[in-house]
Amino acid sequence: MSRRIHARRTEGIDKNVWVEFTQLAADYKAVNLGQGFPDFSPPKFVQEAFCDAVNGGAQMHQYTRAFGHPRLVQSLATFFSRVTGHEIDPLEDVLVTVGAYQALFCAFQALIDEGDEVIIVEPFFDCYQTMVKMVGGKEVYVPLRPKVEGSLSSADWTLSAEELASKFTPRTKAIVINTPNNPLGKVYKTEELQMIADLCIKHDVLCISDEVYEWLTYDGNKHVKIASLPGMWERTITIGSGGKTFSATGWKVGWVISSGHIIKHMKTIFQNCVYHCPTAAQEAVARAFEREYELFGSPESYFQQLPAMLHHRRGKLASCLQSVGLQPIMPEGGYFMIVDISSVKVDFNDDSTKDESYDYRFVKWLTKEKGLATIPVSAFYSPEHAKEFDKYIRFCFVKEEATLDAAEQILRKWRQGK
Amino acid sequence: MKSCRLDQANAKDGCVDRSRLLKSTDKMSVARHVLKCSRFAFHSTTLNCSRSFSTSQCKMTSRHKNSKRIEGLDKNVWVAFTSVAADPSIVNLGQGFPDIPPPSYVKEALAEASSVDRMNQYTRGFGHPSLVKALSQVYGKVCGRQIDPFKEILVTVGGYGSLFSTMQGLVDEGDEVIIIEPFFDCYVPMVRMAGGKPVLIPLRLKSGNKTGTSADWFLDPEELSSKFNSKTKAIIINTPNNPIGKIFSRDELQMIADLCIKHDTLCFSDEVYEWLIYRGHQHVKIATLPGMWDRTITIGSAGKTFSVTGWKLGWSVGPEHLIKHLQTVMQNTMYTCPTPLQEAVAQGFQRNLELMGQPECYFSSLPEELELKRDRMAAILQEAGMTPVIPEGGYFMLVDITSLNQDLSHMEEDEAYDYKFVKWMIKEKKLAAIPVTAFVGEESKKHFEKYIRLCFIKQDSTLDAAEAILKNWRKV
């Protein structure tokens, strides 16, 4: 075709860090601590739930209710009504999506217009930026900064109250937060969320709250839902993930919980986008939530067992990194830890990456030369702040012990100069 | 005020959905059910909340309304009619899904896939490797060309998801997109959501001797040609067509292809029913006509191919320079499709690839099975005094209800005749169908309002129940 073929909305969003780095890890058969997925299986009860669904009769293989399989929306509403103390209507206040990724997509498409400003707290999961671009919104960035130079915990990374307040303008439509945060692992405290909530209410702004790692908090940190603060239910879009909740990222079942008047607009996007989600996977997630509802707070609950196991893995990876002279920032929650690599001197010797940022070059070198895959942290920053944060790389510790051992071997060999 | 009307519409839809929910879970009290079905359901729900109704609510409702891109796109025939027909006492020949079981090996493949650890985690974003390879083999064989599994195929959430990725990737503000009526209803809202302008052209019923089949509908060449101009970005075709069941002949596709090439437009070819071809007919892929591969996106569906609509897997096949834009959309909307489902479909294809052309191949055995159902359905309808339009392909049948002369003047709503007829039929006859004017634009409504659409990919007991109703039609 002689004229422009593609729609302009696809411009500037064709690069994708996951596509690029997953391919690289696969090409070099690297020990993969990069992309965030468990390399252990989902718990037995979850796998059984899926099998039961698959064998559960003809209707499990045909279309279900468009906005969410009845059993799933009911179990989500029941479960989260108890957790939040707010009565959630399963049919009006819940929308099931193809992963939390699509929930984010529906939120931006339904609520953000051309020229609307969206405040994004950095570091951010990269798709927030591209999704805002795709709807013609204007990204406004505000970074979390370490309070103290060389701080070693995600708890020390905070938002400056003045800086945050200065980002709100009459054109601000929404702010996006992610707690526990990817990649940093920060778990926002109630006071921090209150500060954000106060600004949302003052400026009449929506809050998109990505809480996919909500069950993964360590060291006694508590996950707080901003939607449960006064005045926030009706303006917050809370996003959750079956994949992260039940260690089954390949199922791609996510959901949004919000006030009905917001959900209805997301339903309109959804019904013009995919219209339904797969039935059997939804049935399985429903059964899994019903089980967790009964066991909530008890030692048999997966929401107790998984964070306990990952707490241990987090410690294992952190001490391995420290033992080779690398400085991890201990995450209070989530799947990841970021590591300061500024003290490490490496000769990249790779012309193909010479125009890229330091962390991108480092990650590619580490993958190609040492066979260890990670993700560069500046991928989670805006163009304006990426330079300040290009000396960090991100590790995923939600892996089998054997994988972490293999990573340890690689790191030791490297640091011993072999 | 618009938002109030939407609230009421949603309350009504939600009301019927809730009755279905009550049956499956019995968890909600009857009192709450009644409360929520009231006209002001939204407000009374909020008052029941533990949190007080903040005054910012009123201010916010006006500020936080929908984005412009979904203005007017909230209505959807499926959301309305499928909930109505969810009552198990109604024989549902409406929404297009099988109530016959899928082949057992496909279900087994899914159960097996989920027992493999790696299959429960993310796979390649643009399509699970074993699936895109299987698709490239199947379609490579069918099209007679090498298809690159990684660059020329994208796996999506259903055929629906492929349509969405195509529109978002290739249709821009101001682009015109030609759509042939009757059309699968999502084409128009998807084009509009992408900022495009739908340009409609109807299939017309030929005059003179009719065959009583879907072949009686045709595109007028001059009329079609007049729809193309410098703003035309694409034409959407659907073959076999939903709802009529028409299979576009090679000559018809050549006529469309000639116009695409002359005006340098793209072609989006929705071929989800490609395997459901009845005797005496052949499915032709427009992408295989000279000059068309480089400008065509062809869409397929696992749901329709393997009778597993609830799996929601589909794919787009086309040249790299077009597919790459669909891939960009995918990586910014859903990123990846479910892994175990893709693995199971891959295995389904591998198995049938080996059997292609033989009677045991599902792509041969399913249409053979459906042809019997098609013919049975047609006979039953004729007995009841209706005039079926025998489809050449697909699993729907149009039925002309003119000769019934059903008086619907008691129904007050200002709707097309077929909408009223279907609602009346659901209520009085306990038989559900879909009104065909849902698939056409305003101007064509008068040509299609005496038709309803029935789905016949149903097990014998469902067809028996439909037969019983139709046999007794004139008696009540």
Side-chain angles (χ1 to χ4, degrees):
Chain A
M1 269 185 104
S2 50
R3 61 204 206 186
R4 179 177 47 80
I5 297 171
H6 61 274
R8 275 164 300 187
R9 69 180 65 79
T10 63
E11 277 167 13
I13 58 170
D14 50 306
K15 294 261 169 294
N16 180 283
V17 65
W18 309 111
V19 172
E20 188 180 2
F21 284 92
T22 331
Q23 190 60 54
L24 194 67
D27 289 345
Y28 286 86
K29 300 196 180 0
V31 172
N32 196 351
L33 300 193
Q35 193 185 11
F37 61 88
D39 65 1
F40 48 81
S41 63
K44 201 145 172 289
F45 73 88
V46 157
Q47 288 187 297
E48 277 164 8
F50 194 86
C51 269
D52 288 347
V54 170
N55 293 315
Q59 72 274 25
M60 285 291 121
H61 301 282
Q62 307 305 335
Y63 294 129
T64 183
R65 175 177 169 269
F67 303 131
H69 186 53
R71 189 169 180 175
L72 178 56
V73 294
Q74 184 61 70
S75 67
L76 288 169
T78 306
F79 190 96
F80 286 103
S81 291
R82 190 170 69 176
V83 162
T84 60
H86 176 105
E87 200 184 297
I88 297 167
D89 184 310
L91 302 179
E92 300 300 317
D93 300 341
V94 183
L95 173 66
V96 175
T97 56
V98 179
Y101 212 93
Q102 198 204 15
L104 289 160
F105 176 75
C106 290
F108 291 118
Q109 289 279 327
L111 304 165
I112 309 300
D113 251 321
E114 189 125 358
D116 283 347
E117 290 180 9
V118 179
I119 298 172
I120 299 174
V121 178
E122 304 182 278
F124 53 87
F125 182 54
D126 70 307
C127 79
Y128 306 161
Q129 175 189 35
T130 50
M131 287 184 180
V132 168
K133 259 196 155 74
M134 198 171 157
V135 293
K138 176 161 176 272
E139 313 108 82
V140 172
Y141 297 100
V142 59
L144 288 162
R145 295 179 200 283
K147 274 192 296 210
V148 173
E149 178 94 27
S151 96
L152 299 175
S153 163
S154 63
D156 295 330
W157 290 58
T158 56
L159 285 172
S160 145
E162 293 84 47
E163 191 176 12
L164 179 61
S166 75
K167 303 291 179 177
F168 282 77
T169 76
R171 299 236 51 183
T172 308
K173 191 73 181 285
I175 177 169
V176 188
I177 65 170
N178 174 217
T179 178
N181 171 278
N182 171 9
L184 184 59
K186 175 183 176 63
V187 173
Y188 286 67
K189 309 274 180 298
T190 306
E191 314 81 71
E192 293 173 301
L193 294 175
Q194 190 60 66
M195 173 178 80
I196 295 168
D198 290 344
L199 286 161
C200 285
I201 291 166
K202 176 177 173 184
H203 295 274
D204 195 17
V205 159
L206 296 168
C207 179
I208 297 172
S209 184
D210 175 353
E211 301 183 13
V212 298
Y213 302 106
E214 60 186 306
W215 305 110
L216 302 181
T217 56
Y218 314 116
D219 308 325
N221 284 293
K222 290 259 171 301
H223 173 71
V224 179
K225 287 179 167 298
I226 195 170
S228 62
L229 300 183
M232 291 305 284
W233 165 256
E234 53 263 34
R235 61 179 69 252
T236 305
I237 294 107
T238 304
I239 289 170
S241 158
K244 302 296 196 288
T245 296
F246 294 111
S247 306
T249 60
W251 290 15
K252 295 290 291 180
V253 175
W255 53 84
V256 190
I257 296 175
S258 182
S259 171
H261 76 286
I262 290 177
I263 292 286
K264 84 178 173 201
H265 300 312
M266 295 181 62
K267 283 174 174 175
T268 302
I269 292 289
F270 186 80
Q271 81 196 23
N272 286 298
C273 176
V274 300
Y275 180 43
H276 297 91
C277 292
T279 313
Q282 292 189 69
E283 173 77 12
V285 174
R287 292 175 192 227
F289 263 110
E290 285 164 13
R291 178 217 194 244
E292 285 301 311
Y293 184 80
E294 298 306 322
L295 296 174
F296 194 69
S298 76
E300 291 82 40
S301 159
Y302 192 61
F303 303 163
Q304 299 289 325
Q305 293 174 341
L306 182 62
M309 176 175 91
L310 295 185
H311 188 274
H312 172 76
R313 304 278 155 99
R314 180 190 76 155
K316 185 179 163 85
L317 180 63
S319 43
C320 144
L321 290 163
Q322 280 154 345
S323 74
V324 298
L326 292 172
Q327 210 53 260
I329 299 182
M330 283 303 259
E332 299 155 277
Y335 264 24
F336 310 103
M337 69 178 57
I338 72 173
V339 180
D340 187 340
I341 47 157
S342 51
S343 61
V344 178
K345 296 285 168 276
V346 172
D347 179 8
F348 295 135
N349 208 25
D350 186 350
D351 260 1
S352 72
T353 65
K354 70 173 160 45
D355 294 325
E356 293 179 359
S357 61
Y358 187 85
D359 55 345
Y360 270 71
R361 304 193 75 194
F362 190 95
V363 166
K364 287 184 179 179
W365 171 85
L366 193 63
T367 308
K368 293 178 188 177
E369 300 301 324
K370 302 297 172 189
L372 179 61
T374 57
I375 299 288
V377 169
S378 65
F380 300 85
Y381 277 90
S382 61
E384 48 254 50
H385 296 133
K387 270 240 140 313
E388 280 177 62
F389 296 96
D390 70 350
K391 297 294 194 323
Y392 295 95
I393 64 177
R394 186 194 83 169
F395 285 80
C396 174
F397 54 86
V398 183
K399 303 289 176 188
E400 295 267 39
E401 299 248 20
T403 311
L404 298 179
D405 288 337
E408 181 160 12
Q409 295 266 29
I410 291 171
L411 288 165
R412 283 197 190 291
K413 267 175 68 176
W414 165 40
R415 299 302 275 154
Q416 280 156 22
K418 294 198 184 110
Chain B
M1 207 184 97
K2 190 168 191 168
S3 59
C4 288
R5 183 164 57 78
L6 291 177
D7 281 343
Q8 286 165 15
N10 277 332
K12 193 158 67 105
D13 287 341
C15 188
V16 182
D17 253 9
R18 283 186 183 90
S19 69
R20 186 178 173 199
L21 190 66
L22 265 180
K23 284 184 172 67
S24 60
T25 64
D26 279 326
K27 281 190 174 142
M28 288 166 74
S29 74
V30 175
R32 225 154 43 103
H33 169 71
V34 168
L35 179 67
K36 283 174 192 276
C37 280
S38 74
R39 211 127 251 244
F40 303 101
F42 172 59
H43 297 291
S44 47
T45 310
T46 325
L47 285 168
N48 278 338
C49 268
S50 53
R51 204 173 345 283
S52 64
F53 199 107
S54 113
T55 52
S56 71
Q57 176 76 38
C58 304
K59 196 169 62 154
M60 190 181 52
T61 318
S62 59
R63 182 165 186 232
H64 294 296
K65 60 182 181 63
N66 50 283
S67 61
K68 295 192 193 73
R69 69 185 58 80
I70 50 173
E71 209 55 55
L73 301 188
D74 47 295
K75 290 274 170 287
N76 179 293
V77 65
W78 309 111
V79 174
F81 278 95
T82 52
S83 55
V84 168
D87 178 342
S89 71
I90 294 173
V91 177
N92 191 357
L93 301 188
Q95 194 184 7
F97 63 87
D99 67 3
I100 59 175
S104 57
Y105 56 81
V106 139
K107 273 198 301 180
E108 280 154 22
L110 181 58
E112 217 179 276
S114 70
S115 68
V116 175
D117 285 358
R118 190 63 191 84
M119 293 295 159
N120 289 298
Q121 309 303 336
Y122 293 131
T123 184
R124 176 177 170 269
F126 304 141
H128 187 53
S130 62
L131 177 55
V132 294
K133 285 179 190 157
L135 289 168
S136 91
Q137 285 177 287
V138 169
Y139 288 109
K141 188 169 174 170
V142 166
C143 296
R145 69 177 293 136
Q146 292 260 45
I147 297 176
D148 185 317
F150 303 112
K151 298 192 173 137
E152 295 180 317
I153 297 179
L154 173 68
V155 176
T156 55
V157 178
Y160 217 93
S162 268
L163 287 161
F164 181 75
S165 299
T166 301
M167 306 288 186
Q168 289 286 311
L170 301 172
V171 176
D172 226 331
E173 193 93 23
D175 285 347
E176 290 186 11
V177 179
I178 298 171
I179 298 173
I180 300 167
E181 297 170 300
F183 52 86
F184 182 55
D185 69 304
C186 79
Y187 300 164
V188 163
M190 283 191 184
V191 166
R192 285 175 54 201
M193 194 170 145
K197 180 177 170 235
V199 171
L200 305 181
I201 175 174
L203 284 167
R204 293 193 183 279
L205 187 57
K206 72 180 191 197
S207 49
N209 280 337
K210 298 195 193 5
T211 60
T213 74
S214 53
D216 290 340
W217 268 267
F218 72 104
L219 276 178
D220 181 301
E222 265 144 49
E223 191 178 10
L224 180 61
S225 181
S226 74
K227 303 290 181 180
F228 281 78
N229 62 48
S230 59
K231 290 213 179 102
T232 310
K233 189 67 174 287
I235 177 169
I236 304 177
I237 65 171
N238 175 214
T239 178
N241 168 277
N242 170 11
I244 296 187
K246 174 186 173 63
I247 295 177
F248 284 72
S249 68
R250 187 172 290 274
D251 289 341
E252 288 173 311
L253 293 174
Q254 189 62 63
M255 173 180 76
I256 294 169
D258 290 343
L259 286 161
C260 286
I261 291 166
K262 176 177 175 186
H263 294 273
D264 196 18
T265 66
L266 300 173
C267 180
F268 304 156
S269 187
D270 176 353
E271 301 182 16
V272 297
Y273 301 104
E274 61 186 308
W275 308 110
L276 302 183
I277 311 295
Y278 303 120
R279 266 174 311 173
H281 306 288
Q282 203 202 4
H283 175 69
V284 179
K285 285 179 165 300
I286 196 171
T288 60
L289 300 184
M292 289 306 286
W293 170 260
D294 284 328
R295 58 179 72 250
T296 305
I297 299 281
T298 305
I299 291 169
S301 155
K304 304 297 196 275
T305 297
F306 291 109
S307 309
V308 285
T309 61
W311 287 26
K312 290 294 296 189
L313 278 179
W315 42 84
S316 301
V317 179
E320 182 183 352
H321 70 274
L322 294 182
I323 291 289
K324 76 178 182 198
H325 300 305
L326 277 65
Q327 288 177 336
T328 299
V329 172
M330 183 66 180
Q331 83 195 18
N332 289 292
T333 54
M334 266 148 278
Y335 182 68
T336 185
C337 291
T339 316
L341 294 166
Q342 293 189 71
E343 177 63 26
V345 174
Q347 290 186 29
F349 268 116
Q350 281 300 348
R351 186 192 172 111
N352 283 290
L353 179 65
E354 282 153 41
L355 297 170
M356 255 166 97
Q358 294 166 48
E360 303 82 45
C361 177
Y362 195 63
F363 310 157
S364 306
S365 65
L366 182 61
E368 202 179 295
E369 188 186 340
L370 290 186
E371 189 164 337
L372 296 170
K373 294 183 193 282
R374 177 196 74 167
D375 295 343
R376 183 184 170 191
M377 190 84 244
I380 299 169
L381 291 163
Q382 277 157 345
E383 285 257 357
M386 301 184 216
T387 314
V389 175
I390 315 289
E392 298 156 273
Y395 53 54
F396 302 108
M397 180 178 296
L398 238 50
V399 187
D400 186 342
I401 47 171
T402 315
S403 49
L404 291 178
N405 273 316
Q406 184 62 45
D407 178 14
L408 299 173
S409 50
H410 62 282
M411 293 179 76
E412 283 169 32
E413 276 142 76
D414 181 25
E415 282 180 328
Y417 183 86
D418 57 341
Y419 267 75
K420 289 190 203 172
F421 184 91
V422 167
K423 288 181 179 173
W424 169 84
M425 188 172 74
I426 289 172
K427 188 161 176 246
E428 300 300 328
K429 303 292 181 187
K430 300 284 191 194
L431 178 64
I434 297 287
V436 173
T437 58
F439 301 85
V440 305
E442 209 48 54
E443 282 167 36
S444 295
K445 278 193 192 322
K446 54 184 179 293
H447 300 299
F448 289 95
E449 68 172 346
K450 290 294 172 51
Y451 292 95
I452 62 173
R453 185 196 83 169
L454 296 179
C455 173
F456 56 86
I457 185 168
K458 303 290 177 187
Q459 57 189 332
D460 288 339
S461 57
T462 310
L463 297 179
D464 291 341
E467 180 166 20
I469 292 170
L470 288 160
K471 268 202 158 79
N472 291 319
W473 192 275
R474 301 188 220 248
K475 290 176 186 161
V476 179

